[in-house]
Amino acid sequence: MVNPWAGEVSVTLDGQEHALKLTLGALAELEAELRDETIVELIERFETGAFATGDVLALLIAGLRGGGWTGTSADLLTVEIEGGLMAATKAAAQLLARAFAAPSL
């Protein structure tokens, strides 16, 4: 079970639930993946709906790594995400929101 107060989000890969969390290390890895872009630009894309599938995957990978997952980006491309694209996008958006704002009661 995930703890939203700790910034965690849940995603189910191949039938197994995983906790996602944007730790400092995961954020640093995400920034490296974004290259010349910033986390703020990524957040803005999610806020305006202008995000790409690559943004969703980058967030999921960073969050999974922050949650202790040892897989690679290639591994994520081969798993089934329960709920498909909509669930993956929702998890990525929640991950950003929980990393940078306190959860509402």
Side-chain angles (χ1 to χ4, degrees):
M1 179 161 216
V2 299
N3 181 355
W5 291 99
E8 296 175 350
V9 174
S10 174
V11 69
T12 302
L13 307 176
D14 285 340
Q16 182 177 3
E17 184 179 12
H18 294 270
L20 287 72
K21 184 174 183 175
L22 288 179
T23 61
L24 188 57
L27 284 168
E29 185 175 316
L30 179 59
E31 282 183 330
E33 178 73 22
L34 294 173
R35 294 181 186 86
D36 294 331
E37 298 180 62
T38 66
I39 297 289
V40 172
E41 291 170 316
L42 178 64
I43 292 168
E44 288 173 349
R45 286 198 299 277
F46 270 84
E47 287 177 337
T48 62
F51 59 89
T53 306
D55 294 330
V56 173
L57 288 174
L59 274 164
L60 291 181
I61 291 166
L64 283 162
R65 294 241 175 87
W69 187 65
T70 57
T72 66
S73 55
D75 294 330
L76 188 59
L77 295 176
T78 64
V79 299
E80 176 157 347
I81 300 172
E82 186 175 291
L85 178 60
M86 293 301 291
T89 302
K90 181 178 178 182
Q94 285 178 332
L95 190 58
L96 276 176
R98 289 183 183 172
F100 295 102
S104 60
L105 295 176

